[in-house]
Amino acid sequence: MSVGKRLFQYALLFKKNIFIGLLMLALAVAADLAGPFVAKRMIDSNILGIEKTWFETMNHGGDTVEYQNKWYKRKDHFAAGEKRGSEARILQINRDYYFIAGPISFDGERKVKDGNVVITNKGKSETYNASKLSRKELFAFYAPEIFGVLKLLGIYFGLLVLACFFQYGQRYMLQVSANLVIKKIRQDVFRQIQRVPITYFDNQPAGKIVSRVTNDTEAIKELFVNVLANFFTGMITIAGILIALFILDVRLATVCLVIIPILIIWVKVYRKFASKYNHMIRSRLSDINGMINESIQGMTIIQAFRRQKETTEEFEKLNNEYCTYQNKMLSLNSLTNHNLVNVLRNLSFVAVIWYFGGASLGAGTAISLGVLYAFVDYLNRLFQPISGIANQLAQLEQSLVSAERVFVLLDEPGVDVAKEPIQRYRGNVVFENVSFSYDEGENVLKNISIEAKQGETVALVGHTGSGKSSIMNLLFRFYDVKEGRILIDGVDIMKMSKQTLRQHMGIVLQDPFLFTGTIYSNVSLDDPSISRERAEKALKDVGAWDFINSLPNGLDEAVIEKGSTLSSGQRQLISFARALAFDPAILILDEATANIDTETEAIIQEALNVVKRGRTTFIIAHRLSTIKNADQILVLDHGEIVEQGNHDTLMEKEGRYYQMYQLQQGKTKKAVG
């Protein structure tokens, strides 16, 4: 499905608001476009209407004018069937007005000669006795139109008020709808981030994902708030103006239709180049965000190894590429948008005034001056929405490219969050001939078979890359088994949803992660089932309560990003308490004591002897001294279990585990000595 169709589907979710907004937009355009019609009537009927035919009348009403002891009324003011007297005309010649007591045979070029009015047209000439009107007399003939002019001005003002009201309404409704659409898209994007597998985050830098959720959705917001609002307004306005032009004069409107194919060709050519540039712009912006995020996370390493200059140069390279494509977009916009609109506007004005204007300004006109005024007004209004659309084309392309990037994320395969409750595990875990590889090629786990019974503690040891963490990743279904199967209480974990599987499992990582909030919110993760008393008990069980109690706000002490104000040992203790507060049936400790000092390790070891009772515990161990009491110790090498047994059994074998233990003990003794 195309990007445009998917955006349209999102818009349909709030179609009621959008429909009301578009209806108000149509009314606003109609009220606004009625103005020139009012002006046309004012010019043709009230201002230039003085040259219409006048007749003598016996009535002395408000529409009559006294001149030389006779009363006259304009032809269009007579009621049906009302008696008319002799005909008279008033003609304007230059800036003066002349009264002719009688009809004229034809109109044409007018001149005054010897006090008479001479009219010439196509070789024919007629001379009429005429009287020049004084200002007072001229005003008397205009006086009947004053009320009509004021009435039309009132209508004009009323239309402006209505147009302003509907403009406000349509803009408000469309922007509210746009905000709701963006809110929905952001919710879907963030929900999708929770659905995608861990492998997605392995291949995508965090900064680029953040850019999708923030920068790209913000660009889509501009599409709905500004671009589509301008496009809708522009298209409705253009359609209304073209209808008005055809009502005024078919010939003039037909001339203006030439603009439409020019605009269509222009938009297609523009989008061809703009799309390429905007893809590069959004890509480079995403790369910049990714690098900034990575630099902030690794600032300690950058400064420690004096890589500031090289990092800055790498950033400047990306920034220069971003700037280069931005400048290309600016050049494209400058070349096409304002320039082309202005050229089309000027050519249209020249064509209309040259072809039709001269005739309207003279006698025997094919069109009235009011029609020409209204037409020029509409023509000027026609290019306002065209200019608005042109100015938004760049933003349109940026928004479409951003939407395409967002939809790529939304189309990633994921798993819906499932919250159906299941009975707490007993904790019997079996790996049956499990093999696994992250990428096609050599397996990182080869034919692994493990059986952990309820309440047992199983320790995994081995060199870096031996497959210890991969076993835990499979048990948690961060990754799925390629060969073999994993059973919990006799049930294949592949037959359970990932969220259901993890419901009675807890994990503590080597590098604990704390969220912005409080200590209590980090232990409970805002789960309403975890009360303050339960969180407090978990902290006491892991030996963290002493340092928590010493903090000014205790459980409510603020925690900033990643818990950077706490020591690594304190963060790890909170991470332990978090796992225990959820009372898992299966507990996984992934190098959980690697970054903890000896004193804190002793506290945790004592707490673990209490909390692991009744739980199946898997420990990925770096310090072999911490797993001496494990029920099973599995020694891995290149994805295979090479030794298995408890501490005493493995020490008696004097194999790989024995060598590792002796090596660590030897280092310890050397350091002490």
Side-chain angles (χ1 to χ4, degrees):
M1 187 183 297
S2 68
V3 173
K5 287 183 178 179
R6 294 185 71 167
L7 290 172
F8 181 70
Q9 286 184 339
Y10 271 103
L12 286 180
L13 296 174
F14 309 98
K15 54 182 177 292
K16 181 179 179 181
N17 286 346
I18 293 176
F19 174 77
I20 294 173
L22 292 179
L23 178 61
M24 297 185 79
L25 173 60
L27 293 173
V29 171
D32 190 46
L33 295 183
F37 274 100
V38 175
K40 169 190 172 297
R41 179 175 176 81
M42 193 183 301
I43 293 172
D44 287 343
S45 297
N46 299 102
I47 297 176
L48 299 182
I50 194 172
E51 290 202 356
K52 292 185 178 181
T53 305
W54 293 77
F55 291 96
E56 284 190 49
T57 180
M58 300 300 296
N59 297 325
H60 298 171
D63 293 331
T64 59
V65 178
E66 183 181 8
Y67 179 71
Q68 295 181 352
N69 298 321
K70 294 181 180 179
W71 292 90
Y72 293 91
K73 183 188 289 189
R74 216 169 70 186
K75 178 181 179 180
D76 53 334
H77 290 163
F78 277 87
E82 185 178 353
K83 187 177 180 181
R84 303 178 183 181
S86 58
E87 184 178 339
R89 295 294 298 270
I90 297 175
L91 301 181
Q92 179 184 3
I93 302 175
N94 297 324
R95 293 191 175 185
D96 298 322
Y97 288 82
Y98 292 85
F99 182 88
I100 299 174
I104 60 174
S105 303
F106 54 84
D107 203 354
E109 184 181 357
R110 305 168 183 175
K111 292 182 180 179
V112 178
K113 186 176 181 181
D114 299 328
N116 296 321
V117 171
V118 179
I119 300 177
T120 305
N121 189 350
K122 296 181 181 180
K124 297 186 295 181
S125 180
E126 290 283 350
T127 302
Y128 302 94
N129 293 324
S131 301
K132 183 179 178 181
L133 297 176
S134 65
R135 289 191 176 184
K136 184 178 180 180
E137 292 170 334
L138 178 62
F139 181 77
F141 279 99
Y142 270 115
E145 305 304 318
I146 292 177
F147 176 77
V149 170
L150 293 176
K151 181 180 177 181
L152 291 174
L153 285 174
I155 294 173
Y156 193 89
F157 179 76
L159 290 171
L160 289 178
V161 172
L162 281 176
C164 289
F165 172 77
F166 287 124
Q167 283 284 3
Y168 166 79
Q170 65 88 12
R171 187 168 182 81
Y172 177 81
M173 294 303 297
L174 290 180
Q175 293 213 5
V176 165
S177 303
N179 287 331
L180 291 173
V181 169
I182 298 307
K183 176 185 175 183
K184 173 63 175 171
I185 291 177
R186 280 196 177 130
Q187 287 174 338
D188 288 350
V189 172
F190 195 78
R191 188 179 295 111
Q192 174 69 359
I193 291 175
Q194 316 304 314
R195 295 178 67 253
V196 295
I198 296 297
T199 52
Y200 179 80
F201 302 99
D202 292 340
N203 301 320
Q204 290 289 337
K208 290 190 175 184
I209 299 174
V210 171
S211 182
R212 301 278 177 94
V213 182
T214 56
N215 295 340
D216 288 331
T217 53
E218 190 65 25
I220 300 174
K221 177 184 176 183
E222 292 301 313
L223 169 67
F224 283 99
V225 171
N226 291 323
V227 179
L228 292 187
N230 275 284
F231 270 61
F232 279 133
T233 304
M235 288 187 291
I236 292 176
T237 302
I238 290 172
I241 289 174
L242 289 175
I243 292 171
L245 292 179
F246 274 99
I247 293 174
L248 284 172
D249 191 282
V250 175
R251 293 170 301 161
L252 294 176
T254 304
V255 172
C256 292
L257 285 179
V258 178
I259 298 171
I260 304 301
I262 295 175
L263 289 176
I264 293 173
I265 295 172
W266 164 45
V267 169
K268 287 187 175 182
V269 172
Y270 175 87
R271 291 194 61 190
K272 179 180 179 181
F273 291 96
S275 179
K276 179 176 70 173
Y277 294 154
N278 277 308
H279 270 93
M280 297 303 299
I281 288 171
R282 303 311 297 184
S283 176
R284 289 298 175 271
L285 182 60
S286 181
D287 292 339
I288 288 173
N289 285 331
M291 185 184 177
I292 291 173
N293 179 73
E294 188 177 61
S295 298
I296 293 173
Q297 298 291 334
M299 190 56 68
T300 303
I301 302 300
I302 291 173
Q303 294 190 5
F305 287 89
R306 306 182 306 281
R307 304 300 296 172
Q308 295 96 321
K309 181 179 178 181
E310 289 77 7
T311 303
T312 302
E313 289 175 352
E314 184 180 351
F315 176 82
E316 287 178 352
K317 180 182 177 183
L318 290 174
N319 198 27
N320 287 335
E321 290 178 0
Y322 177 77
C323 185
T324 298
Y325 284 105
Q326 283 281 27
N327 288 335
K328 288 183 178 181
M329 273 300 304
L330 288 174
S331 298
L332 179 64
N333 292 336
S334 299
L335 180 65
T336 58
N337 290 3
H338 297 288
N339 288 344
L340 184 59
V341 172
N342 288 332
V343 168
L344 289 175
R345 178 194 288 116
N346 293 335
L347 288 176
S348 300
F349 280 146
V350 168
V352 169
I353 293 174
W354 173 75
Y355 191 73
F356 297 103
S360 68
L361 295 175
T365 175
I367 60 172
S368 70
L369 192 60
V371 170
L372 182 63
Y373 166 81
F375 196 89
V376 171
D377 191 345
Y378 279 130
L379 198 58
N380 186 53
R381 291 169 185 249
L382 177 65
F383 283 94
Q384 291 175 3
I386 291 176
S387 180
I389 291 174
N391 294 336
Q392 293 297 328
L393 281 176
Q395 186 62 57
L396 171 65
E397 286 304 315
Q398 290 180 23
S399 300
L400 291 177
V401 170
S402 295
E404 181 181 342
R405 289 161 54 83
V406 169
F407 291 142
V408 167
L409 172 55
L410 289 176
D411 290 337
E412 286 290 328
V415 179
D416 292 331
V417 176
K419 292 186 177 181
E420 65 270 14
I422 61 169
Q423 188 175 0
R424 191 174 187 272
Y425 304 137
R426 292 191 303 277
N428 298 310
V429 179
V430 176
F431 281 66
E432 291 184 353
N433 304 318
V434 172
S435 296
F436 173 74
S437 64
Y438 290 101
D439 300 308
E440 294 297 329
E442 184 179 358
N443 288 339
V444 295
L445 294 178
K446 305 168 186 175
N447 200 33
I448 297 294
S449 293
I450 305 171
E451 182 176 358
K453 296 180 180 179
Q454 178 182 359
E456 283 190 347
T457 298
V458 178
L460 305 174
V461 300
H463 60 78
T464 301
S466 60
K468 304 185 298 295
S469 295
S470 296
I471 290 176
M472 296 302 97
N473 286 336
L474 294 179
L475 180 58
F476 251 90
R477 280 198 68 190
F478 291 142
Y479 301 87
D480 287 333
V481 174
K482 303 292 185 182
E483 298 177 26
R485 61 178 185 161
I486 301 174
L487 308 175
I488 295 180
D489 295 342
V491 179
D492 191 339
I493 65 172
M494 295 298 291
K495 296 180 180 179
M496 293 185 279
S497 70
K498 293 180 179 180
Q499 289 73 30
T500 303
L501 168 68
R502 298 164 188 162
Q503 194 173 137
H504 298 296
M505 298 173 71
I507 189 169
V508 179
L509 301 173
Q510 177 180 351
D511 186 16
F513 190 93
L514 298 187
F515 297 91
T516 301
T518 65
I519 290 177
Y520 171 58
S521 69
N522 270 280
V523 174
S524 67
L525 294 179
D526 294 323
D527 189 325
S529 66
I530 309 296
S531 64
R532 291 179 66 88
E533 292 74 18
R534 187 169 169 181
E536 182 178 329
K537 183 179 184 303
L539 288 165
K540 289 178 179 178
D541 287 342
V542 299
W545 186 248
D546 287 342
F547 96 82
I548 297 293
N549 207 28
S550 67
L551 297 174
N553 299 310
L555 271 178
D556 297 317
E557 183 71 17
V559 177
I560 62 175
E561 184 180 8
K562 298 179 72 174
S564 57
T565 58
L566 301 172
S567 70
S568 59
Q570 290 171 337
R571 292 197 299 270
Q572 192 63 284
L573 286 172
I574 294 173
S575 182
F576 265 95
R578 174 195 295 162
L580 297 178
F582 283 84
D583 190 25
I586 299 172
L587 180 62
I588 298 172
L589 308 178
D590 189 354
E591 302 275 13
T593 59
N595 295 329
I596 295 177
D597 57 83
T598 304
E599 182 179 352
T600 306
E601 179 186 340
I603 296 173
I604 292 177
Q605 283 296 114
E606 184 179 347
L608 284 179
N609 290 331
V610 177
V611 299
K612 69 183 183 181
R613 291 174 186 165
R615 294 185 175 88
T616 304
T617 306
F618 289 86
I619 302 176
I620 297 176
H622 172 69
R623 299 178 185 177
L624 301 185
S625 59
T626 64
I627 58 168
K628 292 173 63 175
N629 296 326
D631 298 294
Q632 292 185 61
I633 298 174
L634 307 178
V635 182
L636 287 95
D637 182 49
H638 294 92
E640 296 180 291
I641 298 175
V642 294
E643 290 183 4
Q644 185 173 356
N646 60 29
H647 175 76
D648 294 335
T649 302
L650 294 176
M651 290 297 291
E652 290 175 1
K653 288 182 178 180
E654 295 188 1
R656 190 181 299 271
Y657 177 81
Y658 174 83
Q659 295 173 2
M660 293 169 61
Y661 187 83
Q662 289 296 101
L663 182 63
Q664 288 194 8
Q665 291 297 102
K667 286 184 177 181
T668 303
K669 291 177 182 178
K670 184 177 180 181
V672 174

